[in-house]
Amino acid sequence: MKLNPRYQERFDVRHNAPDNQQIKEMLEAVNANSLEHLIEETIPGNIRLKQDLNLPEAQTEFEFLESFKEMASKNEIFRSYIGLGYYNTHVPGVILRNIMENPGWYTAYTPYQAEIAQGRLEALINFQTMVIDLTGMEIANASLLDEGTAAAEAMTMFFGMRKGKKKQANIFYVDENIFPQTLDVLKTRAIPIGIELRVGNIADIDVNDDNIFGLYTQQINRHGDIIDLKPILEATQEKEIFSTIGADLLSLTLLTPPGEIGADCVVGTSQRFGIPMGYGGPHAAFFATKEAYKRQIPGRIIGVSVDKEGNKAYRMALQTREQHIKREKATSNICTAQVLLAVMSGMYAVYHGPVGLKKIAVRTHSLVKLLAKGLESLGYEVQNKNYFDTICVGLESDKLREKLHSITLEHKINLNFSGSKTVTIALNETTRIDDVSELIEIFALVLDKDASLFPLEKTIDSLELDWSGNLIRKSNYLEHPVFNSYFAEHEMLRYIKKLENKDLSLVHSMISLGSCTMKLNATTEMIPVTWPELGNIHPYAPKEQALGYREMFIKLENMLTEITGFAATSLQPNSGAQGEYAGLMVIRAYHLSRGDEQRNVTIIPSSAHGTNPASAVMAGMQVVIVRCDDNGNIDLQDLKEKAEKHSANLSALMVTYPSTHGVFEEEIQEICEIIHQNGGQVYMDGANMNAQVGLTSPANIGADVCHLNLHKTFCIPHGGGGPGMGPICVAEHLKEFLPGNPLTPTGGDNAITAISAAPWGSASILAISYAYISMMGSQGLKEATQLAILNANYIKAKLNDHYPVLYTNKKGRSAHEMIIDCRAFKDFGVEVEDIAKRLMDYGYHSPTVSFPVPGTMMIEPTESETKTELDKFCEAMISIRKEIQEIADGVADKENNLLKNAPHTMSVSLAENWTLPYSREKAVFPLSYIKGNKFWPSVSRIDSAYGDRNLMCSCIPVSEYETEEEAMA
């Protein structure tokens, strides 16, 4: 046997699942001689890359972790007292290990198929209940991207709700003392849709100005001042001005909730409830409002409904608000929530309960009060009258300021020096008495005074809450048993595990969702996310303290720029839909810079994802729809006519490539050229980038800008519907407009205002995509794309005799996904939803249902699934097709059959009286492989309409369970 000391185990053979034998067998099944032959018949030759990607050599998993640890160690962890909405926090170990680091939670998909997502849905109900209780509002959604986004969503929601004498009002009044990053996001979102921001002191708002339709202020402003909201809200209510209040969840255990004094909407972030700062994210923002506005709320709401057996069950409520239905009439383009982070924040509240949260809040305030008294004893002026966790300290001179800044840095401490004659200090859950003592010593040193003269221990014993009575919370909160039952870690662990067991995720089986690319989230990619070097950095820490992050950003930007063929990349957009918006705003800025203010028309194919037209409207565009032909391609003649018709005003074309129908359109370069000839720019939606990497590129097809779904192509987990990231890559002429940030220089020379609150969005999870590319290398990425296309075409070949495949190219090939047509089954009463529910009995999550064509399924297997798993899925689909045929042939009843009754739960299957016209075994073990690894849906089919008619979006009262038990007795 020949010895080989150079052998190293490659990561790409772990990620790219099919081995050589499986590849050979699949190639035979699809009638291709090789992977190269298949690609030649799939991707038009004129857009193929002429050479391989120029990327660093692939690292092994162990090499990567070693080198990345070295890079991450360049980040310095200072004690952060900067505040501005970001605070150090303790992540309870039971939540860290069993949710954040657990693929059973982070590899799950958005809970559209509610019957196999009851665990996540219950966890999100907990989050919503927590937000409702603490804010004093009536209804909350299941989280948004960040606090700045939440504030902007409130502004646009109320802009769309104007009526009566306020119908033409266009002024949104913003307090000048809100967080600066929130103000910047508000500016970005206001300008293109005609909202005028009026920025001033909230006390100076002219409520008699009929042009003001809404306001935004913070209950605790950037300086730490607690604002008495009651007189402001009373005055604005009387004048029909919608009010949005930014609030801090921890403070609301002590402060009167805005909802109790008339706020129309309350927003903020749940970051300090057990989520690391992560240099900006990901964190779950909250959005709470009045029930009267339930049909205008952006994002997703989890609601309570009933299943077929009459049992309570959770589901996503009011789905008619989703953009794929509203499209160009949408007022929001929200597609990704921050589910995993919302789950963690909700669990933080479950773990601590109302008493524990209040103790943390009291302790935090006590430490700040102790610090304030210590600084005052030294002669400093604490400028806040009322404060919770942040104080603003006056500094008499620049010399004093510089000396303080220098000494704090020597002690590895960050304060907020953003004021010219002040410094603010924000304490948090992790602060200790020793830290306060050290701060007092530092401030004493600046004045050459003796800190030991301050009676620290005596002062501790005399601390009292001295807010005025109207500021202090009187109402109870978090009284539901779920927040009062799991304080013992064993109980908490079992509760988390109980919920996890109700959810189907990638730990169970393939999730072949077209357009969503549910691929391997490798453990090595995930490990660094929980390192303190990434998690414990404040997004506005001095850049010298984040050199490891900066190095990763530069390298990742270069990688993505190379992959797309463009000139520059922005990592700021916090989701795919936000990436769409960012791309369009950059195009808008480009046109404005050339004096083309009139260019406001965006052409979008009829097959586009719903966020495309929604994003265009938010960017101030007029949407023009272009038809698709019978083969699913853009109708070239219709495109030419509309581009020429609108040539004077044409801003952009939004196009997904390969198409939403799963085909590489042959005329894509001609399509792009038509737009360019008529003065427009081409925005490419990167949802299907998994079919391009290493084989073609957005620049090669002729696009000018694209966004990339890092939670699809580049392996950030879906996390049950979030987090996600949507960087944009742009051509040379657009890079100067890449988004900036008001506190940290980033973006282009003529940067647009901020798209998200943090300079680099959810910075900590960018490490996942960086790891993926670093370990795959050029050849691994190229093969991943080839295998994604092979796997899709293999499924097409296996299912072709059983389900019609809607769209292929001229040589009969699909791209990385394909659409099967289920519409003919309606003739005998079978809907595509019935197939989706029946798949649960086989242990599978349904492919994408009824998008982009109603009554169809879009299947995308990804490169991470072996032929063995593909065969099992195909076997399930073929078996279901036979069950459909039994209905068609009259063998099975048209209403009472396996598909209509699916999914079959354990309780239904074990019922003493089995009255269904088929066997229990056929219901729950239709194929032999299922017996050894059965996943049981926890509820029967859910009645969606009931849930919308009887909307309940907080924890189910215990009395409801008691009523059910009495009825059963």
Side-chain angles (χ1 to χ4, degrees), residues 175-234:
D175 183 17
E176 63 192 2
N177 292 313
I178 67 170
F179 296 143
Q181 70 271 20
T182 299
L183 178 57
D184 220 44
V185 174
L186 286 170
K187 289 177 181 176
T188 305
R189 295 281 291 272
I191 293 170
I193 59 174
I195 296 174
E196 177 189 337
L197 288 190
R198 182 174 293 173
V199 181
N201 192 299
I202 192 63
D204 297 333
I205 184 173
D206 180 4
V207 296
N208 294 311
D209 186 341
D210 286 340
N211 287 319
I212 299 175
F213 72 89
L215 70 86
Y216 181 78
T217 188
Q218 290 175 195
Q219 188 175 27
I220 304 174
N221 69 20
R222 64 180 295 186
H223 306 298
D225 298 313
I226 297 173
I227 308 301
D228 186 356
L229 296 170
K230 192 170 183 180
I232 297 168
L233 296 181
E234 286 176 348

Side-chain angles (χ1 to χ4, degrees), residues 668-796:
I668 186 63
Q669 288 182 321
E670 185 179 351
I671 288 168
C672 294
E673 184 57 29
I674 290 169
I675 299 302
H676 290 144
Q677 286 172 354
N678 288 280
Q681 296 284 288
V682 177
Y683 164 88
M684 195 207 83
D685 186 311
N688 292 343
M689 194 66 194
N690 213 44
Q692 285 199 43
V693 179
L695 300 179
T696 184
S697 72
N700 246 32
I701 72 169
D704 301 287
V705 55
C706 74
H707 89 267
L708 301 171
N709 295 93
L710 298 191
H711 51 290
K712 294 183 181 182
T713 304
F714 297 98
C715 291
I716 291 176
H718 280 65
M725 284 288 280
I728 57 169
C729 305
V730 299
E732 181 71 31
H733 62 285
L734 295 178
K735 72 178 186 180
E736 66 179 286
F737 306 107
L738 289 175
N741 180 274
L743 297 174
T744 298
T746 186
D749 294 337
N750 292 302
I752 62 173
T753 46
I755 293 294
S756 67
W760 290 275
S762 295
S764 65
I765 57 173
L766 292 172
I768 300 168
S769 297
Y770 175 72
Y772 171 67
I773 299 170
S774 297
M775 293 188 292
M776 290 290 280
S778 175
Q779 289 304 310
L781 291 172
K782 179 179 177 180
E783 186 176 69
T785 311
Q786 292 172 326
L787 292 177
I789 292 170
L790 173 61
N791 282 2
N793 280 276
Y794 177 68
I795 286 183
K796 181 175 77 70

